[in-house]
Amino acid sequence: MSSKKIFLLDASSYVFRAYHAVSFLTNSKSFPTNAIYGFINMFNKLLKDFKPEYLVAVFDSGGTSFRNEIYQQYKANRGEAPEDISLQFPKIIEFLEASGIKTIKLENYEADDLIGSITDKFKDKNKISIISGDKDFVQLIDKNVNMIDTMKGRTTSIKEVEERYGLGPELMIDFFALVGDSIDNIPGVKGIGPKTAAPLIKEYGTIENLYKNLENIEKERIRNLLIEHEDDAKVSKILVTIKKDLSIEDDIEDFKICSPNIDLLNKLFKELEFDSFVKQKESEVSDNTSDYKTVLLKEDFNDLLAELKNQEFLSLDLETTSISPISAKIVGISFSFKEGTGYYIPIAHSEDTSQLSIGFVLKSLKPILENESIKKIGQNLKYEFIIFKNYGINLGGIFFDTMIAAHSIDSSLQSYSLDNLTRRFLDYKMISYKEVTKVDKKSIPFANVSIDKASIYSCEDADLTFRLYSFLLERLEEYNLLDNFLAYEIPFIKVLAEIEHQGVNIDSKRLAKLSEEFYKIINSIEGKIYKFIGKQINLNSPLQLRQVLFNELGLKPNKKTKTGEFSTNSQTLQGIVSQHGVVEEILSYRFYSKLQSTYIDALPELVDKETRKIHTSYNQVGTSTGRLSSRSPNLQNIPIKTKEGKRIRDSFSSANKNRLIMSADYSQIELRLLAHFSMDPVMVDSFKSNLDIHSITAGDIFNIDMNDVNEDQRRLAKTINFGILYGIGSKRLSEQINQDTKTAKAFIQRYFEKYSAVKDYFQTTIDTTRNRGYSETILRRRRYLPDINSNNFMLRAAGERAAINSPIQGSAADIIKMAMILINNDQSLVSNCAMIMQVHDELIFEVEKNKISEVSKKIKNHMINCITLNVPLVVDIGFGNTWSDSH
């Protein structure tokens, strides 16, 4: 028999690595898919890199093994696998089998034992590669057997084992038995580590021979440890020994990879909603396409107009040239007012087909679009509002946005795209944008899509939005959310649209000067770094940095990446900054480089050529807590505390010389909400008496009068006050305040002694969230937190922190939303000011210079009185020529 190359995949280990490599992911039915997705990607890479002909995937049995009968504490510290990963194993096996891969598991035995037995059976006449990162497998390595860790790109053969451990593979069982394994709860000989064990095993060969020669052990401490833990050593050897004698009935040809079953794979991928994996995509055109109509003739358009005028509810969708509404031009418009029907009006497709003119269509549609009595339904109607405004149409009657409705019902979804929502709620797979805009693997503009294809796609969007509206409306009513949704979420669409359309003026010349200055600073820092390390490297390369810092300079790392390499991210480098002067310079280099690339150089590029302003895009469903996010540019993350960040904010000014920039900022709104929800008497009284909450906390922590608190003590108390809002633990707090964990723990304890009702509120909130599965904001928006009931401690703890923080941060978002609506609706402000930005708890305006006093009073009044809490809301007002000056 000719020699074969066999790959033995430690599949259970692969699944766990995939699970931890990919963050939370589900399909639209909330079935967890992160481990499956990660596994498929890892497995496909394995096939691509090694092109195996023979491969078997070996799984653990899933229960206890014979080792537990020998030693009850074996792997006892691991606990049960998280429920969400257990649910994914069957689907992974289904994927492998549909891919033509043999899978094996055996009751009462671990994957290691099956791999050991398969290896022993076939290694004499074949080459074997064990695909795993588990060090236990090194005992199986010999001239025909190696181990490949695909995650780290590392192959281990006899040579590598000897270099790493100073021992050959044949001695590794006894070495592991002495050292033990804390992860698998294998005791070993307590007090004997790898450096002591290696020479002992090298000299005596086996555990048994070592114990026959105890009198020859010169060091008394080592000899006594061996005597004291003899039983542990011998049981550990049994536990670490991979079995090689299991009955393997399979022939080598049973491991040959078969042709994949494309139909089964596609069925699985569609169920999991892994569209990118689906092979030979079938056309999934709606069954209702016969009721989708393309409007090309005037008489058909006039018939449609007559229908539209008589509708109470109308779903609409625009097809355009850009995702940026400020610059987008309309290509076509679709409407639906009855499930299963749709009308598409093409107006700017490039194909040689007669289309109605955009001027005629919009002029005819304007009375309908602006009619408040015809209730408009859409998916992300803010986009349509801005585009219509560009064409001189003020979209009226905005009644229902499916994207925002879904977020109100459940703010924990990963995606609020129409495609994802129809899958989740209607069990319907829509035609994707990529499908209609891809020709011969190249993307084309929507204007180049054939009218027939565009009509089906766009009508389906309008139709499915209408169907989704009916479903979500019922859910909002069922959850008693409809009143707040209509009162706040829907009006807020227009508020954000107006802000985006208004835009922000920036001083590009000021930024250009700042860029030159930063360029010189960055060059200077680079020079210092190269002087420290004695050569030039790519400072943006983690690989090169890792080599210099940890190999050449010998710095002691304190964290690894998910792939097992030493981390060089900024947070990690902060932890080792005291080890060498170069680390601080690298952090400075990153700080200045990030500001320059993200803001100083990027902002001028985002200035619209026609308006000469920046028009950021606010996302009402961008975060699970309800806080706005923004992009192009992200205005939420411009640093405020550093002088460099302030200099960037200096470039934000009014284009009108008669106007100033005014900032209105809620003071400590989240702490005030904590006082409101917890009704802690000390905290409530502090805010009602207008006392400084941070000084009060500092006074109690340091056992001094609040009037004697210095700035450093107040700053530390501020960190604790806000950290508590996020469920901060002693370890994380110790890092933030640069104290040991014992001190940090004492601070937290004293905090809860001071504000005892806060601790009770947190526990009640966690219990309530655990029972009903979701948290709620002051406007009753829901965030589902399934991890709060997880068996995995880390996931459960994260769920508990989210349960504490979400109602507070989410309610702060609700309050500023309510304030913005009131301000936007105040007609007396229209001519004197414009709202131009929202950055978390701060609103920024352009205000007429001679109206500052009058306007600021009105805005402050709206912000303070938009809601009544158990404690007063406070708003800080500032103004100046630039955004920075207003603080």
Side-chain angles (χ1 to χ4, degrees):
M1 182 174 71
S2 60
S3 176
K4 311 286 188 186
K5 176 73 172 175
I6 310 171
F7 288 81
L8 306 181
L9 175 62
D10 180 12
S12 292
S13 170
Y14 230 51
V15 174
F16 275 94
R17 294 176 88 170
Y19 174 79
H20 291 294
V22 179
S23 59
F24 182 74
L25 186 68
T26 69
N27 67 3
S28 62
K29 301 295 186 300
S30 297
F31 183 84
T33 58
N34 60 321
I36 310 170
Y37 185 78
F39 183 93
I40 292 173
N41 276 313
M42 290 162 61
F43 185 77
N44 286 343
K45 187 176 187 302
L46 167 65
L47 296 184
K48 181 182 176 182
D49 291 347
F50 297 98
K51 299 176 175 56
E53 186 179 359
Y54 295 86
L55 185 147
V56 57
V58 187
F59 287 87
D60 291 323
S61 64
T64 58
S65 80
F66 73 93
R67 291 178 176 85
N68 294 100
E69 297 169 10
I70 297 168
Y71 185 66
Q72 288 186 357
Q73 297 304 307
Y74 177 65
K75 292 189 177 181
N77 55 346
R78 289 196 178 189
E80 293 183 22
E83 182 184 4
D84 55 341
I85 194 173
S86 300
L87 292 171
Q88 298 180 69
F89 268 94
K91 295 297 180 186
I92 289 169
I93 292 173
E94 189 179 332
F95 159 74
L96 287 168
E97 292 177 347
S99 299
I101 307 298
K102 172 87 174 176
T103 65
I104 297 179
K105 64 179 177 179
L106 184 61
E107 195 66 30
N108 207 33
Y109 292 97
E110 297 175 67
D112 300 31
D113 302 311
L114 279 164
I115 289 173
S117 299
I118 295 170
T119 299
D120 199 61
K121 178 175 179 178
F122 295 110
K123 70 177 182 179
D124 290 342
K125 297 182 179 180
N126 303 283
K127 298 288 185 182
I128 293 176
S129 287
I130 300 166
I131 309 299
S132 180
D134 189 343
K135 69 180 187 330
D136 294 345
F137 286 117
V138 298
Q139 62 186 272
L140 301 178
I141 290 173
D142 73 4
K143 62 179 181 178
N144 286 337
V145 182
N146 67 12
M147 184 170 80
I148 301 173
D149 185 344
T150 54
M151 294 284 281
K152 296 181 180 178
R154 179 192 298 161
T155 299
T156 302
S157 300
I158 295 174
K159 179 184 175 184
E160 285 75 25
V161 177
E162 291 174 341
E163 288 176 352
R164 181 176 178 184
Y165 296 100
L167 303 168
E170 72 282 357
L171 297 177
M172 292 311 298
I173 291 174
D174 296 273
F175 172 78
F176 289 148
L178 272 189
V179 173
D181 188 333
S182 60
I183 295 175
D184 288 344
N185 213 31
I186 295 172
V189 174
K190 190 174 182 180
I192 291 184
K195 290 183 179 179
T196 303
L200 287 174
I201 296 302
K202 189 170 187 177
E203 182 173 354
Y204 296 104
T206 66
I207 290 283
E208 292 77 12
N209 196 39
L210 174 61
Y211 273 97
K212 288 178 183 176
N213 291 277
L214 284 178
E215 68 278 3
N216 296 327
I217 306 295
E218 294 181 5
K219 292 185 178 180
E220 183 180 356
R221 187 184 74 86
I222 301 301
R223 187 168 61 252
N224 289 338
L225 287 172
L226 288 167
I227 293 170
E228 183 181 350
H229 297 284
E230 181 175 0
D231 290 343
D232 286 341
K234 290 179 178 178
V235 78
S236 293
K237 182 167 183 176
I238 299 171
L239 296 176
V240 301
T241 301
I242 294 175
K243 293 187 73 64
K244 301 178 185 177
D245 57 356
L246 300 181
S247 176
I248 305 296
E249 297 179 1
D250 299 277
D251 185 77
I252 193 169
E253 292 303 313
D254 294 324
F255 300 153
K256 189 168 186 177
I257 299 177
C258 302
S259 298
N261 186 322
I262 301 298
D263 289 338
L264 286 180
L265 283 172
N266 281 348
K267 182 182 177 185
L268 177 65
F269 293 150
K270 288 174 184 177
E271 175 192 342
L272 299 171
E273 298 169 11
F274 293 166
D275 290 349
S276 61
F277 293 137
V278 175
K279 298 171 172 51
Q280 300 174 351
K281 270 185 177 286
E282 306 159 9
S283 176
E284 294 184 283
V285 174
S286 166
D287 292 336
N288 300 303
T289 54
S290 59
D291 292 321
Y292 291 166
K293 295 180 173 60
T294 307
V295 181
L296 292 168
L297 303 176
K298 273 192 178 182
E299 49 265 40
D300 293 334
F301 179 67
N302 288 331
D303 289 343
L304 175 59
L305 280 177
E307 287 267 31
L308 296 177
K309 288 174 184 176
N310 292 323
Q311 300 307 316
E312 183 181 0
F313 300 99
L314 191 62
S315 170
L316 63 91
D317 183 67
L318 291 179
E319 305 305 336
T320 66
T321 58
S322 171
I323 62 171
S324 169
I326 291 296
S327 57
K329 305 300 178 186
I330 298 175
V331 175
I333 309 171
S334 60
F335 294 100
S336 178
F337 42 84
K338 181 182 176 183
E339 288 192 10
T341 65
Y343 299 84
Y344 182 63
I345 309 164
I347 49 181
H349 281 268
S350 59
E351 74 174 64
D352 189 18
T353 298
S354 180
Q355 299 162 60
L356 298 173
S357 73
I358 186 169
F360 168 72
V361 169
L362 292 183
K363 183 179 179 182
S364 303
L365 286 173
K366 183 173 181 177
I368 296 168
L369 293 171
E370 292 187 340
N371 191 332
E372 295 286 346
S373 299
I374 300 175
K375 297 175 180 176
K376 313 307 187 302
I377 297 160
Q379 165 82 5
N380 190 19
L381 277 172
K382 174 167 65 71
Y383 180 79
E384 274 78 11
F385 183 95
I386 296 171
I387 292 174
F388 280 131
K389 193 174 178 70
N390 292 339
Y391 284 93
I393 295 172
N394 187 26
L395 184 64
I398 295 176
F399 174 70
F400 200 94
D401 192 306
T402 49
M403 178 179 76
I404 298 165
H407 188 264
S408 296
I409 290 167
D410 182 0
S411 67
S412 66
L413 303 186
Q414 284 194 310
S415 169
Y416 292 89
S417 68
L418 185 60
D419 179 69
N420 189 61
L421 296 181
T422 54
R423 281 191 180 196
R424 176 177 289 272
F425 297 120
L426 303 180
D427 197 23
Y428 186 103
K429 170 66 174 73
M430 297 182 68
I431 304 166
S432 72
Y433 182 82
K434 189 182 289 187
E435 285 177 79
V436 297
T437 57
K438 204 145 208 174
V439 177
D440 298 328
K441 297 184 178 181
K442 291 183 179 179
S443 295
I444 60 171
F446 198 86
N448 293 353
V449 175
S450 71
I451 290 176
D452 287 345
K453 188 182 283 189
S455 181
I456 294 170
Y457 168 78
S458 190
C459 285
E460 185 184 60
D461 275 3
D463 174 25
L464 267 294
T465 298
F466 194 82
R467 297 193 215 182
L468 197 57
Y469 148 69
S470 299
F471 177 88
L472 294 174
L473 182 67
E474 288 183 9
R475 297 288 85 72
L476 289 170
E477 289 176 329
E478 179 186 341
Y479 298 158
N480 198 23
L481 294 171
L482 185 58
D483 288 346
N484 281 342
F485 174 76
L486 296 177
Y488 301 110
E489 300 298 341
I490 291 301
F492 196 52
I493 294 171
K494 187 176 178 181
V495 176
L496 289 182
E498 296 283 7
I499 294 174
E500 289 185 26
H501 193 269
Q502 174 71 28
V504 185
N505 180 68
I506 64 162
D507 187 337
S508 295
K509 290 182 180 178
R510 184 188 288 263
L511 286 173
K513 272 188 173 182
L514 191 57
S515 180
E516 290 177 11
E517 188 178 325
F518 268 49
Y519 181 75
K520 291 176 182 177
I521 292 171
I522 291 168
N523 273 350
S524 173
I525 295 170
E526 282 179 330
K528 292 178 184 177
I529 293 171
Y530 299 149
K531 191 172 181 181
F532 267 123
I533 64 179
K535 62 179 179 180
Q536 290 190 11
I537 63 168
N538 179 2
L539 293 174
N540 298 313
S541 166
L543 186 67
Q544 292 184 35
L545 268 182
R546 194 179 297 127
Q547 172 67 23
V548 167
L549 295 178
F550 305 125
N551 293 343
E552 296 176 17
L553 296 181
L555 304 190
K556 187 178 179 181
N558 64 1
K559 190 177 180 182
K560 289 188 176 182
T561 65
K562 287 179 179 178
T563 58
E565 303 292 346
F566 293 131
S567 172
T568 59
N569 66 28
S570 294
Q571 186 179 353
T572 303
L573 292 185
Q574 286 283 3
I576 61 171
V577 72
S578 61
Q579 293 187 32
H580 199 290
V582 74
V583 180
E584 188 171 352
E585 296 299 337
I586 291 170
L587 289 169
S588 293
Y589 168 82
R590 287 183 178 175
F591 173 75
Y592 283 99
S593 297
K594 181 175 176 60
L595 287 183
Q596 183 169 42
S597 62
T598 307
Y599 297 110
I600 298 171
D601 291 345
L603 287 174
E605 297 295 319
L606 295 171
V607 173
D608 186 84
K609 291 179 181 177
E610 291 187 19
T611 68
R612 307 305 301 164
K613 290 183 178 182
I614 282 176
H615 300 268
T616 189
S617 177
Y618 289 103
N619 190 351
Q620 201 168 335
V621 300
T623 67
S624 55
T625 61
R627 270 191 166 188
L628 292 181
S629 63
S630 71
R631 61 174 178 81
S632 301
N634 180 359
L635 298 178
Q636 313 283 347
N637 286 347
I638 298 177
I640 188 171
K641 294 180 180 178
T642 65
K643 65 178 187 295
E644 293 82 7
K646 288 177 181 177
R647 294 186 68 187
I648 294 171
R649 290 179 180 226
D650 263 335
S651 67
F652 288 74
S653 59
S654 174
N656 186 334
K657 292 181 180 179
N658 295 318
R659 289 193 166 196
L660 295 175
I661 300 296
M662 188 181 89
S663 166
D665 194 358
Y666 276 115
S667 173
Q668 302 170 342
I669 188 169
E670 292 184 358
L671 287 174
R672 292 172 190 273
L673 279 164
L674 177 59
H676 168 77
F677 286 129
S678 69
M679 282 300 292
D680 183 273
V682 178
M683 193 174 281
V684 169
D685 184 63
S686 299
F687 284 123
K688 283 186 174 180
S689 303
N690 198 28
L691 299 176
D692 179 21
I693 191 75
H694 302 316
S695 294
I696 291 172
T697 301
D700 197 69
I701 285 174
F702 294 105
N703 198 26
I704 57 177
D705 188 279
M706 64 170 286
N707 296 313
D708 296 329
V709 169
N710 62 38
E711 192 55 40
D712 288 338
Q713 291 168 330
R714 185 184 182 277
R715 191 180 300 112
L716 184 143
K718 185 177 180 179
T719 301
I720 295 171
N721 276 332
F722 285 109
I724 292 294
L725 287 170
Y726 293 86
I728 198 168
S730 55
K731 186 176 185 301
R732 182 73 184 274
L733 179 61
S734 69
E735 294 170 355
Q736 290 191 10
I737 63 176
N738 199 26
Q739 300 273 357
D740 58 72
T741 54
K742 186 177 179 181
T743 302
K745 189 175 182 179
F747 284 162
I748 293 173
Q749 185 176 342
R750 269 179 264 174
Y751 177 94
F752 283 125
E753 287 172 359
K754 176 77 172 179
Y755 307 112
S756 58
V758 170
K759 187 173 186 179
D760 294 338
Y761 163 71
F762 283 170
Q763 191 56 56
T764 301
T765 301
I766 289 169
D767 292 342
T768 303
T769 306
R770 182 167 285 124
N771 289 332
R772 64 187 183 184
Y774 62 87
S775 66
E776 250 181 7
T777 70
I778 211 161
L779 289 182
R780 304 196 64 196
R781 284 183 301 102
R782 294 185 177 189
R783 178 184 181 184
Y784 284 84
L785 297 166
D787 285 346
I788 201 166
N789 289 308
S790 172
N791 291 325
N792 181 301
F793 170 77
M794 292 184 69
L795 290 175
R796 187 170 65 253
E800 290 174 353
R801 288 194 296 272
I804 291 170
N805 175 250
S806 292
I808 295 170
Q809 192 177 106
S811 295
D814 287 348
I815 289 171
I816 200 166
K817 184 181 298 177
M818 289 187 275
M820 291 169 73
I821 293 169
L822 289 175
I823 294 167
N824 190 75
N825 291 344
D826 188 341
Q827 292 303 304
S828 69
L829 292 171
V830 172
S831 60
N832 297 321
C833 90
M835 198 170 355
I836 59 172
M837 285 187 286
Q838 191 253 56
V839 181
H840 301 314
D841 304 330
E842 177 187 11
L843 297 178
I844 300 97
F845 304 84
E846 282 187 8
V847 183
E848 294 289 332
K849 288 181 180 179
N850 61 352
K851 296 290 184 179
I852 281 285
S853 177
E854 177 187 332
V855 167
S856 64
K857 285 177 184 176
K858 288 183 178 181
I859 286 173
K860 192 171 186 177
N861 184 59
H862 286 314
M863 293 178 73
I864 288 172
N865 297 311
C866 65
I867 192 171
T868 301
L869 301 179
N870 295 318
V871 295
L873 287 171
V874 173
V875 174
D876 296 325
I877 299 284
F879 53 88
N881 289 318
T882 70
W883 184 11
S884 180
D885 292 339
S886 70
H887 284 271

